[in-house]
Amino acid sequence: MKKLINDVSAVVDDMIDGLIRSVGGLNRLDGERVIVRSDLDAFRSSGQVALISGGGSGHEPAHAGYVGAGMLTAAVCGDVFTSPSTDAVLAAIRAVGGPSGVLLIVKSYTGDRLNFGLAAEIARAEGIPVEMVVVADDVSLATGSDTAGRRGIAGTVLVHKVAGAAAAAGRSLEEVAAQARRVIDAVGSMGVGLSSCTVPAAGRPSFSLAEHEVEFGLGIHGEPGGRRDRLQPARALVSTVIDRIFDDRGLKAGDKVALLVNNLGATPSMEMAIVAGEAVRAAEARGVDVLRIWTGTFLTALDMAGFSLSALAVDDELLDLLDAPASASAWPSSVAPLAVAMPVVMPAARVESAVRSGEGDGALVAAIEAAARALIADEPRLTALDQAVGDGDLGLNLARGSEAVLTEIDDYRHLERPAALRRLAATVRRSVGGTSGALYAVGLMSAAAVAERWTAGRVVWPEALAAAASAVARLGDARVGDRTMLDALIPAVEALKTAEDDPRQALAAAIRAAASGTAATADTTSRRGRSSYLGDRALGHPDPGAEAVVVWLSAVAETVTARGA
Ligand code: ADP
Ligand code: MG
């Protein structure tokens, strides 16, 4: 287990301490794991209904992140995935409850229902008006009475929001509870887990999922879900979830919904954006209008990868409550109303038209094709090398560019050498990316300029490669010994210059020189590129960009040999 904690038994207290120190507007109730609004005195004199939620910890930012004006008044934090005690809830009620009363918003788990329920009873006996609502939005479970029933998951946040806005508007306890129940009746949620989660005190994952498995409908404590399935594209996973929720909630064409797209804890924001886009698409496919959508980390299961979706049918009144301002740290305050999201179309860039001169260079096209195929074949090896000393993208960058080249290879056949090289440079510029994309594009453009000066009968390939290498050195401000592709390119250029008689022998010498230059990079630290950040840690690994030069140069040499050129 690798976690940023001090001590497994102190995680909840340390978290509360961290929140109080780093998030504005929060205070801790002395001696309790209860977080309250820091403007409690002003709040009490406002006469508003107080809202309390809580439950086991490990679902951050729920629920402390929803404490603030327009949402919760207090959050009660249990141990990780464990209901808080009755007394902790009672302490919260006593601290925030006035004559206007308190609404407890509880997720449906036995421990929470019992502890919040008992605290409510005691508080009522003490004269504090208390109402309790229970959220059970997980549609992956049956509603039947032969189980503990549905669990409360991320839809709870929408209950906080709506009830909080109603309370902030000065509505009575009865009215605030009625709004909360409206949301509870309408909202449906479902999660998909890509990984398990690790409870600090347990020290290992709660369950295990195979590399290509996902768990549908799992709970936010790492409880297993309804079923396991193979990992599918985001679009398929999301539409399965949307279908399930919409069917369960009876949402049909023409209905209007708000969607909450929730990160279960460890999903990259990039993937969350993809999931959100697919959720809108899936809803639209069913003719349902998405009027609001919030994407982010709302209610998690520690470090679980995956998402949950919550859908709430809305009318104007609910929209007003959802849109009302809230200062809670975890509620997104700047949300643009969702219009019909159409991508803005940019005018297409002018594509260099393929000049059909008819005088193509078959040997050049064969060499380009062979180089592309070799780079694709060696993608895993180059990736592994760049993972060791760079960011791991070099193999994919070059393979992607090579695929683009292969797609266009037939166009090259009709182009004269300079045009073919310029076309190759354009393809590389468009498709490769990274440092190597820019450097290869520049190198190819310089080679094309040399090719303009080509005269029949005169072999100028060494000159073209030399021009390419100097252009790379200029743009990248690097030289031999800096642990870059130049450590392969420049020795190859030198070898070609000195062995000009037989092209096959010359190329063989160039490859040997490039390979030994590449091998030498394993003994040098870098002054350029990403591996310069590594210093001595790059020692022992050859430079991936130099190795790539050896790969394509060898492939080119093979075609030359094969053609007997
Ligand atoms: P990045 O991920 O840094 O954008 P790539 O993965 O596309 O770069 O390419 C990495 C390779 O680029 C390195 O292995 C090295 O051979 C080459 N490289 C990096 N910096 C330079 C430079 N300044 N000059 C020449 N080649 C360089
Ligand atoms: Mg890289």
Side-chain angles (χ1 to χ4, degrees):
M1 177 177 73
K2 225 184 216 173
K3 287 188 186 286
L4 296 170
I5 60 177
N6 298 311
D7 175 351
V8 288
S9 62
V11 283
V12 175
D13 288 307
D14 287 357
M15 167 191 78
I16 292 174
D17 182 64
L19 289 173
I20 304 294
R21 285 172 190 272
S22 63
V23 179
L26 303 180
N27 256 342
R28 179 180 192 157
L29 216 58
D30 193 28
E32 300 287 350
R33 288 170 167 181
V34 175
I35 291 177
V36 294
R37 283 173 61 160
S38 56
D39 58 348
L40 213 51
D41 289 338
F43 172 81
R44 279 212 208 82
S45 54
S46 73
Q48 290 170 18
V49 171
L51 262 58
I52 300 175
S53 189
S57 293
H59 305 304
E60 292 64 37
H63 296 273
Y66 304 110
V67 172
M71 289 184 89
L72 302 180
T73 321
V76 192
C77 311
D79 261 317
V80 174
F81 294 172
T82 307
S83 169
S85 68
T86 302
D87 282 18
V89 180
L90 189 56
I93 299 174
R94 285 176 181 150
V96 303
S100 318
V102 180
L103 177 68
L104 304 182
I105 301 170
V106 180
K107 300 192 297 302
S108 182
Y109 296 95
T110 309
D112 287 337
R113 297 171 81 135
L114 295 180
N115 286 299
F116 279 82
L118 185 54
E121 292 292 340
I122 299 171
R124 278 186 210 116
E126 290 176 3
I128 307 173
V130 181
E131 285 271 348
M132 178 166 122
V133 294
V134 178
V135 189
D137 54 327
D138 186 353
V139 303
S140 70
L141 297 174
T143 42
S145 52
D146 49 343
T147 63
R150 289 191 162 174
R151 302 172 284 217
I153 54 176
T156 309
V157 176
L158 298 175
V159 181
H160 294 344
K161 180 68 192 72
V162 167
R171 313 243 196 119
S172 69
L173 177 58
E174 212 174 35
E175 289 167 325
V176 173
Q179 290 296 349
R181 292 199 177 97
R182 261 191 82 190
V183 177
I184 289 170
D185 288 343
V187 71
S189 305
M190 182 168 159
V192 176
L194 269 58
S195 76
S196 183
C197 57
T198 300
V199 175
R204 54 194 155 70
S206 309
F207 61 94
S208 68
L209 272 177
E211 180 65 20
H212 295 293
E213 270 180 342
V214 297
E215 182 103 15
F216 275 97
L218 77 182
I220 49 173
H221 307 97
E223 316 94 293
R227 68 185 169 90
R228 268 181 197 191
D229 207 335
R230 283 186 58 77
L231 178 64
Q232 298 147 48
R235 182 165 301 177
L237 292 176
V238 169
S239 79
T240 302
V241 172
I242 285 281
D243 283 350
R244 179 71 185 252
I245 298 172
F246 283 17
D247 288 347
D248 187 272
R249 302 285 82 202
L251 289 165
K252 51 186 192 315
D255 285 348
K256 297 172 170 40
V257 295
L259 294 180
L260 189 75
V261 184
N262 175 49
N263 186 342
L264 287 175
T267 310
S269 299
M270 184 179 80
E271 291 168 38
M272 291 308 298
I274 294 173
V275 167
E278 295 301 342
V280 174
R281 193 193 294 270
E284 282 171 353
R286 294 186 52 137
V288 170
D289 268 352
V290 180
L291 296 190
R292 297 290 184 278
I293 180 166
W294 300 274
T295 308
T297 305
F298 294 98
L299 200 146
T300 59
L302 292 169
D303 53 346
M304 181 178 288
F307 66 92
S308 70
L309 298 178
S310 302
L312 172 66
V314 289
D315 56 15
D316 288 345
E317 187 185 21
L318 275 183
L319 278 181
D320 282 346
L321 294 167
L322 287 166
D323 288 345
S327 70
S329 62
W331 181 254
S333 52
S334 61
V335 175
L338 209 63
V340 189
M342 284 301 290
V344 178
V345 180
M346 296 287 287
R350 205 163 50 82
V351 181
E352 204 180 321
S353 59
V355 197
R356 288 178 177 257
S357 65
E359 257 298 331
D361 179 343
L364 175 61
V365 175
I368 293 173
E369 188 171 351
R373 292 197 193 285
L375 288 170
I376 292 169
D378 275 2
E379 182 271 308
R381 202 165 59 81
L382 294 172
T383 297
L385 281 176
D386 196 34
Q387 274 167 345
V389 297
D391 56 348
D393 62 347
L394 177 77
L396 289 170
N397 283 347
L398 295 179
R400 186 174 52 242
S402 299
E403 296 284 3
V405 167
L406 290 182
T407 309
E408 298 174 6
I409 197 80
D410 283 336
D411 298 346
Y412 292 58
R413 295 187 205 287
H414 311 287
L415 297 176
E416 280 180 347
R417 275 184 211 126
L421 288 170
R422 271 200 305 275
R423 178 73 188 265
L424 181 58
T427 306
V428 165
R429 222 166 50 217
R430 191 186 69 235
S431 61
V432 175
T435 302
S436 32
L439 294 176
Y440 272 103
V442 147
L444 287 162
M445 269 146 49
S446 305
V450 171
E452 298 280 6
R453 308 196 300 268
W454 225 285
T455 48
R458 217 188 119 227
V459 181
V460 287
W461 281 115
E463 207 186 304
L465 193 66
S470 349
V472 168
R474 250 192 330 275
L475 184 68
D477 185 27
R479 47 178 192 263
V480 169
D482 283 344
R483 256 195 86 92
T484 70
M485 61 168 91
L486 291 171
D487 288 328
L489 270 180
I490 303 226
V493 166
E494 297 300 328
L496 282 180
K497 265 189 206 154
T498 48
E500 243 173 68
D501 38 0
D502 173 35
R504 260 162 294 186
Q505 275 171 20
L507 270 167
I511 292 165
R512 277 197 304 278
S516 81
T518 301
T521 60
D523 305 326
T524 43
T525 52
S526 170
R527 204 174 62 85
R528 286 287 175 266
R530 277 184 216 272
S531 58
S532 62
Y533 310 136
L534 286 181
D536 289 350
R537 290 169 77 186
L539 288 178
H541 303 282
D543 176 64
E547 182 59 32
V549 171
V550 176
V551 168
W552 61 255
L553 197 59
S554 306
V556 167
E558 262 172 48
T559 65
V560 171
T561 310
R563 294 173 74 95

